[in-house]
């Protein structure tokens, strides 16, 4: 599955950070993790930290799939408003999901400090109303978030103009957000996994999974076999291959990054993630070297050749949208790209087993706009599931919630 088009910034900036061996002999392990992107890396790190014997296999080079195309906005905000999630699943579960995402950002901060040199930075998050008719919903969302303990400020139009230099009817300002270099983070995590005794292989494609009563037998395209007590399918948007029917819709999102703007980058933008209420939404953030990274213009195209042809035109449309907000910015794209992402109906991820493949095959489908945040909290959830411990989010993030 071709998960990206164009020239993703993280891959260009870092080059190939890790070259892992290809699996060429049979092996045994406690847990086999399918997928060497940021989701698989976070889960493998958590499992090894709890004493499990872990092997990771990736069909490409490490972190070279959708992780390299991620724009890596780390937020507690879920694509589905807290108010809407409460209507669907109840106030308690909706608040639990939002608070878990907030706690996951704190854990990501601790993890980033321990692996070091991944450009992790705490930021603010500005969620602005795209249209005046979005203001009442934004006000309701502000009340709901405060009720669940989040520190969030409501800014009216003049306050948005004064603080951020663009016109919007209103906005919510939160301080519990962050950003990271996702490719670098995944690569350094998996290198640490190897140092701690884990096995990591790339250019190794699993073509068959056979769940059995005591283990799972996985077979590669070269015929190599892996016997694992449990398997975690963390293959990003290709994970649905192992399910009898799709549980999410694959889409494409487009992005570009500028040259370093240095003093031309407004200080408030240098430390704030910006996104909007419209769906699909425009979003932007700064990088550690003061480039502006802008994304959006999502569409339903999931055919690589068609997506490839749209990258430049989508970048031009993104430029027009942002220059309407900040006319003075120099937004010449240095690199532009597109990547696959997936959306679930309710905006929540799927973590845990599926009835079709049994209890020994766990899934990590961190789908949606805050996939890295989901992956961090999902790592703890899957550790609990494998160890047969309860977890407060197991039911809400299970496949069964959708019927």
């Amino acid at each position: 599955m071709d998960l990206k088009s164009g020239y993703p910034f993280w891959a260009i900036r870092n080059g190939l950070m890790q070259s892992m061996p290809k699996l060429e002999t049979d092996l045994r392990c406690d847990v086999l993790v399918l997928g060497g992107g940021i989701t698989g890396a976070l889960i493998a790190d958590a499992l090894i930290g709890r004493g499990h014997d872990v092997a990771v296999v990736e069909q490409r080079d490490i972190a070279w799939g959708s992780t390299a195309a991620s724009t890596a906005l780390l937020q507690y905000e879920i694509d589905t408003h807290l108010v809407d999630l409460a209507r669907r699943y109840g106030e308690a579960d909706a608040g639990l999901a939002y608070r878990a995402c907030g706690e996951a950002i704190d854990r990501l901060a601790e993890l980033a400090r321990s692996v070091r040199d991944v450009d992790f930075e705490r930021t603010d998050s500005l969620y602005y109303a795209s249209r005046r008719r979005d203001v009442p919903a934004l006000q309701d969302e502000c009340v709901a978030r405060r009720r669940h303990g989040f520190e969030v400020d409501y800014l009216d139009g003049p306050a948005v103009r004064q603080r951020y230099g663009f016109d919007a009817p209103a906005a919510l300002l939160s301080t519990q957000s962050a950003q990271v270099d996702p490719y670098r983070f995944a690569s350094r995590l998996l290198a640490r996994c190897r140092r701690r005794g884990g096995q990591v292989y790339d250019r190794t494609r699993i073509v068959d999974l056979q769940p059995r009563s005591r283990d799972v037998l996985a077979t590669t395209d070269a015929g190599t076999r892996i016997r694992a007590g449990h398997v975690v399918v963390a293959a990003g948007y290709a994970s649905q291959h192992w399910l009898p029917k799709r549980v999410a819709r694959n889409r494409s999102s487009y992005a570009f990054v500028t040259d370093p703007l240095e003093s031309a980058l407004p200080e408030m933008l240098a430390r704030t993630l910006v996104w909007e209420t419209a769906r699909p939404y425009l979003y932007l953030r700064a990088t550690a070297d003061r480039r502006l990274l802008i994304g959006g213009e999502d569409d339903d195209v999931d055919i690589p050749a068609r997506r490839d042809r749209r990258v430049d035109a989508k970048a031009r449309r993104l430029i027009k949208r942002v220059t309407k907000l900040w006319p003075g910015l120099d937004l010449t794209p240095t690199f532009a790209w597109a990547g696959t992402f997936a959306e679930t109906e309710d905006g929540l991820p799927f973590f845990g087993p599926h009835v079709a493949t049994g209890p020994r095959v766990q899934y990590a489908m961190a789908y949606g706009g805050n996939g890295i945040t989901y992956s961090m909290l999902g790592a703890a959830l899957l550790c609990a599931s494998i160890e047969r411990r309860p977890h407060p989010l197991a039911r809400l993030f299970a496949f069964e919630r959708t019927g």
Side-chain angles (χ1 to χ4, degrees):
M1 187 176 182
D2 187 353
L3 296 174
K4 59 187 185 299
S5 304
Y7 300 93
F9 173 61
W10 312 116
I12 298 294
R13 178 177 183 258
N14 293 292
L16 187 63
M17 288 186 64
Q18 301 289 338
S19 180
M20 303 296 183
K22 184 176 181 178
L23 179 62
E24 296 179 334
T25 59
D26 293 350
L27 64 84
R28 293 176 181 267
C29 58
D30 293 341
V31 186
L32 171 64
V33 178
L34 271 59
I38 186 61
T39 299
L42 288 167
I43 292 167
D45 183 79
L47 286 164
I48 291 171
R50 293 190 60 82
H52 293 279
D53 174 26
V54 176
V56 179
V57 295
E58 165 59 46
Q59 65 178 345
R60 302 173 184 82
D61 290 297
I62 289 299
W64 211 251
S66 56
T67 295
S70 170
T71 48
L73 281 67
L74 310 181
Q75 299 167 290
Y76 74 82
E77 296 106 322
I78 296 170
D79 285 350
T80 302
H81 282 178
L82 175 57
V83 170
D84 297 328
L85 209 59
R87 291 193 188 104
R88 183 162 188 161
Y89 294 116
E91 187 79 18
D93 278 347
L96 178 63
Y98 264 72
R99 289 193 303 274
C101 288
E103 293 165 4
I105 293 173
D106 293 337
R107 293 200 297 273
L108 282 164
E110 295 172 3
L111 188 59
R113 281 194 295 270
S114 70
V115 297
R116 296 182 298 177
D117 191 24
V118 294
D119 287 348
F120 183 94
E121 184 178 1
R122 291 279 194 173
T123 67
D124 294 341
S125 173
L126 186 75
Y127 183 45
Y128 70 89
S130 309
R131 299 153 299 207
R132 188 160 298 280
R133 65 175 180 267
D134 295 339
V135 171
L138 206 64
Q139 292 171 329
D140 291 344
E141 185 69 8
C142 183
V143 172
R145 292 187 191 180
R146 287 174 175 171
R147 187 166 61 245
H148 286 277
F150 291 101
E151 295 182 6
V152 56
D153 293 330
Y154 178 83
L155 306 182
D156 60 15
V160 174
R161 160 57 65 179
Q162 180 182 11
R163 296 183 65 169
Y164 289 93
F166 74 101
D167 292 318
L172 299 185
L173 178 62
S174 303
T175 59
Q176 199 171 353
S177 300
Q179 59 193 30
V180 74
D181 179 331
Y183 175 76
R184 196 167 189 84
F185 199 11
S187 297
R188 293 182 68 83
L189 274 173
L190 289 172
R192 184 170 83 165
C193 286
R194 291 189 75 189
R195 292 194 301 271
R196 296 165 71 192
Q199 303 177 73
V200 183
Y201 303 93
D202 60 19
R203 294 159 293 129
T204 300
R205 186 164 68 94
I206 301 298
V207 296
D208 186 55
L209 288 177
Q210 295 182 29
R212 304 186 296 194
S213 61
R214 295 180 179 275
D215 63 10
V216 182
L217 179 63
T219 306
T220 73
D221 55 357
T224 304
R225 299 194 297 179
I226 307 168
R227 286 181 171 83
H230 298 269
V231 169
V232 175
V233 181
Y237 311 114
S239 296
Q240 297 188 78
H241 164 77
W242 302 102
L243 298 178
K245 66 176 183 179
R246 302 182 76 83
V247 296
R249 179 178 60 167
N250 283 5
R251 306 192 69 199
S252 293
S253 188
Y254 300 82
F256 74 88
V257 68
T258 67
D259 278 329
L261 297 181
E262 303 298 344
S263 59
L265 180 65
E267 283 305 314
M268 293 303 290
L269 288 185
R271 58 179 184 273
T272 306
L273 313 180
V274 179
W275 56 308
E276 63 172 335
T277 56
R279 296 293 187 270
Y281 52 83
L282 174 75
Y283 53 93
L284 59 94
R285 55 162 284 199
T287 64
D289 55 352
R290 297 183 68 83
R291 300 170 187 264
L292 202 57
L293 194 162
I294 298 164
E297 286 296 311
D298 306 349
D299 59 34
D300 292 327
V301 172
D302 193 30
I303 300 172
R306 287 182 61 193
R307 185 183 63 207
D308 293 352
R309 292 193 294 268
R310 293 183 174 208
V311 170
D312 289 342
K314 292 282 190 174
R316 290 194 294 271
R317 291 178 66 175
L318 288 169
I319 290 171
K320 288 181 180 179
R321 294 185 64 186
V322 177
T323 52
K324 284 183 179 179
L325 300 175
W326 294 281
L329 286 177
D330 178 10
L331 297 180
T332 303
T334 303
F335 303 106
W337 67 94
T340 299
F341 75 104
E343 288 182 332
T344 60
E345 182 186 1
D346 55 12
L348 297 180
F350 292 107
F351 289 104
H354 189 281
V355 65
T357 45
R360 291 190 175 274
V361 178
Q362 307 276 336
Y363 292 85
M365 294 181 167
Y367 296 163
N370 50 348
I372 297 176
T373 307
Y374 278 157
S375 296
M376 185 73 252
L377 67 87
L381 192 160
L382 291 179
C383 284
S385 181
I386 288 169
E387 296 167 0
R388 298 184 180 181
R389 293 182 285 108
H391 190 281
L393 285 166
R395 177 181 54 84
L396 184 60
F397 289 175
F399 290 99
E400 290 77 13
R401 76 171 185 271
T402 62

